[in-house]
Amino acid sequence: MTEQTAPTTAAAEPTTVRGEQTRQLILDTAMRLFRERGYAQTTMRAIAKEANVAVGNAYYYFGSKEHLIQEFYRGTQVEHAAAAAGVLRREVDFAARLRGVLHAGVDVLGPSHAFAATFFKTAAEPTSPLSPFSAESSEPRAAAIGLFREVLAGSTVKVDPELRPELPELLWLAYLGVILYWVHDRSPGQTKTRALINGAVPLIDRLVALSRLRVLRPVTREVLDLIRTLRH
């Protein structure tokens, strides 16, 4: 039986183990340069030069800097899930699970804090493919919401049945708020962000538990109706 020829890159490099190594080298180099020089100041040509690969090869694996960041999103989400796995195995208390997942997210993002502010200017543009709400970000967004769905599903908290399916997305939006604060947090080791998480989680826990009270159900319905209107 003859062996099939593997697809090749623009520079005729087989997409084998070596090809995957080259791809990872380009990604790792880009992340390092983003941290050292900033996102806006780093070009694909500079990334290729630093990684010692042809510019054509760099563009073969990643069509633009935006593609590199989308890969960063995906990788970060995988790391976040892995970092949160321990607390999700140990805890059934909703607040403990949520607190652990939020802290795990900040732990994973920590090394990127130096370039996060300059990068966030691009990601904050409504039309940017790097926006967490963009179509291009749909895969890592779905994975992130799935992680918060796991936070809820494995807990013992009692939630209003109508709120339950919407709550993971609301928790993800809260997480984005934490990340926005973290981007601008200049306290040593971003300790203020940690304090924000520790202070906000008990409040979220209470609000979720109170959602089942009959007297608050009309408010819950109004919030859910607003979310659905904005979503569409």
Side-chain angles (χ1 to χ4, degrees), residues 22 46 50 75 88-89 92 99 109 122 134 148 154 186 216-217 222:
T22 301
E50 191 75 12
L88 293 181
R89 280 195 304 268
V92 294
R99 185 183 303 109
L109 288 171
T122 303
S134 71
F148 288 105
R186 293 295 177 263
L216 291 179
R217 283 181 183 174
E222 288 180 17

Side-chain angles (χ1 to χ4, degrees), residues 118-140:
T118 55
F119 157 70
F120 194 81
K121 292 177 183 177
T122 303
E125 287 290 332
T127 58
S128 171
L130 302 185
S131 166
F133 302 100
S134 71
E136 292 84 352
S137 299
S138 61
E139 183 184 331

Side-chain angles (χ1 to χ4, degrees), residues 12-33:
E13 179 175 294
T15 55
T16 56
V17 172
R18 181 182 174 185
E20 285 304 309
Q21 290 173 342
T22 301
R23 186 178 187 279
Q24 190 61 46
L25 172 63
I26 294 168
L27 179 60
D28 292 343
T29 302
M31 291 303 107
R32 176 169 60 81
L33 292 182

Side-chain angles (χ1 to χ4, degrees), residues 35 72-73 75-77 79-80 83 102-116 119 175-176 178-180 182-183 190 193-194:
R35 290 168 185 139
F72 169 70
Y73 283 168
T76 297
Q77 192 52 49
E79 291 181 43
H80 188 183
L102 293 177
H103 278 299
V106 174
D107 290 339
V108 168
L109 288 171
S112 303
H113 189 263
F115 88 93
F119 157 70
Y175 173 60
L176 289 185
V178 170
I179 297 307
L180 175 60
W182 169 84
V183 165
Q190 291 71 61
T193 301
R194 304 290 186 173

